[in-house]
Amino acid sequence: MNNKLNAIATFLRVADAGSFSAAARQLGMKQSAVSQQIAALEAELGVVLLRRTTRVMALTEQGERYRRDMTLVLDAMREAESRLNPADHQWQGSVHLQLPSGLGTLFLPHLLALQNMHAGLHLTLSLDDRIADLVSEGVDVALRLGTEPPEPHAARMLTRIETALFAAPGFAAVHTLSELAAHPHVRFSGIAPDAPLRLVSADETVDVKVNTVFRANTSEALLQAIKSGVGIGGMQLPLAARALQSGELVSVLPDYWLPDRFLYAVYPDARFIPQRVRSLIRAIEQLLPEITGNG
């Protein structure tokens, strides 16, 4: 049993390292010993886990599935063993967290403080508005904004995020939807250029065709564009709050807002969520009222 566990651990190291030689260096083993362990594991399972040539190593479809499943199994074993120890292990180990770039900058000081408090915690942060492949990129949990739970992963809603229209203080005043359509706009580049701007009020939901003059793929770039006077743009209230308070932004058509989105914690696999990941999300939930203003 112990030999098989060692072989599984070696296989996972090879899969992560991308080559037998790199895995051998990390494990302090000879490359031939690594190859022998993988070959023995494949023989016992009756499948080919790795395709290898003199230059290239790649997981087969069965190998990728086995890597995902065995990662969960070994994590579960380590978690069970840690519970036998009376010491508190909730902040021990590595966590790869992906966050939206804008909200991520608001969370960053708090996450750094958390890292400083727990020497056994090893955070990897990806501030990225791109939708990552959680499994292939090794993301333990992602915070994602959406109007509904993202597919196909397990997700839990954490809070509602409001989005409204803003402009620079010197921008022309807007009193009606027709005036709004006549002015230049700033929008996220993930939205189709000709897509209408959907707005919601207490009485109606309307689609407004707007003239998009500037597009960007991060919230920070969009915020800077709106503040510079390039055009009117939608911005999440937590990201606009400081500029609104300082007078760098003004509200546009305050009786209308963009459809609410929700912040979800998204996990690659709900069958096993390590305690350190659960602890991190609990800590983030405690920060949400301060960061979003949704007390």
Side-chain angles (χ1 to χ4, degrees):
M1 179 66 176
N2 192 48
N3 287 339
K4 185 172 183 178
L5 287 176
N6 287 338
I8 292 170
T10 299
F11 163 70
L12 294 178
R13 184 62 63 94
V14 171
D16 290 340
S19 73
F20 284 80
S21 58
R25 286 194 299 271
Q26 294 174 14
L27 293 168
M29 298 169 58
K30 291 183 178 181
Q31 184 173 334
S32 58
V34 171
S35 297
Q36 289 169 6
Q37 284 196 15
I38 300 300
L41 182 62
E42 289 178 321
E44 180 173 344
L45 296 173
V47 298
V48 176
L49 299 173
L50 296 163
R51 299 282 184 193
R52 56 267 206 195
T53 67
T54 54
R55 293 185 178 182
V56 178
M57 186 283 293
L59 291 169
T60 64
E61 182 179 349
Q62 293 95 332
E64 179 59 39
R65 188 181 308 119
Y66 193 67
R67 181 189 69 81
R68 290 197 301 265
D69 290 342
M70 289 303 101
T71 297
L72 291 171
V73 168
L74 292 188
D75 278 348
M77 288 178 62
R78 285 191 285 267
E79 187 79 12
E81 290 170 355
S82 73
R83 294 196 189 104
L84 300 177
N85 192 319
D88 184 2
H89 286 270
Q90 67 173 326
W91 297 111
Q92 299 291 319
S94 300
V95 180
H96 186 175
L97 169 65
Q98 186 197 36
L99 309 100
S101 63
L103 288 176
T105 60
L106 302 183
F107 282 111
L108 185 56
H110 304 280
L111 293 171
L112 292 175
L114 195 65
Q115 176 69 81
N116 282 328
M117 289 170 58
H118 304 286
L121 178 67
H122 303 286
L123 286 175
T124 296
L125 301 183
S126 299
L127 274 62
D128 196 344
D129 292 316
R130 175 182 59 90
I131 302 300
D133 185 316
L134 302 187
V135 174
S136 66
E137 297 184 34
V139 176
D140 295 299
V141 59
L143 299 189
R144 287 185 179 168
L145 284 166
T147 55
E148 56 187 23
E151 296 289 347
H153 301 296
R156 183 163 66 86
M157 196 271 284
L158 302 180
T159 192
R160 177 173 57 93
I161 302 292
E162 299 177 48
T163 304
L165 292 173
F166 299 96
F171 205 84
V174 176
H175 304 288
T176 65
L177 293 175
S178 59
E179 289 180 3
L180 178 71
H183 290 297
H185 280 257
V186 169
R187 301 188 77 186
F188 180 58
S189 58
I191 299 171
D194 57 350
L197 175 67
R198 175 155 294 183
L199 296 173
V200 178
S201 73
D203 305 314
E204 61 178 345
T205 297
V206 295
D207 288 338
V208 181
K209 184 160 182 64
V210 296
N211 175 29
T212 300
V213 299
F214 180 87
R215 304 169 77 220
N217 67 341
T218 69
S219 298
E220 179 58 29
L222 295 172
L223 180 60
Q224 293 299 323
I226 298 169
K227 287 163 63 175
S228 72
V230 167
I232 296 169
M235 185 56 54
Q236 300 152 31
L237 292 192
L239 303 183
R242 184 175 298 177
L244 194 62
Q245 187 176 20
S246 67
E248 295 176 279
L249 288 181
V250 295
S251 180
V252 174
L253 291 181
D255 291 335
Y256 287 87
W257 56 92
L258 280 72
D260 287 342
R261 290 192 292 170
F262 301 89
L263 186 67
Y264 294 93
V266 186
Y267 304 96
D269 196 313
R271 289 175 294 175
F272 176 72
I273 303 172
Q275 184 59 44
R276 59 188 180 275
V277 175
R278 295 182 187 274
S279 297
L280 181 62
I281 293 302
R282 279 199 298 269
I284 286 173
E285 284 188 279
Q286 292 172 3
L287 293 171
L288 285 172
E290 175 186 346
I291 289 175
T292 66
N294 297 336

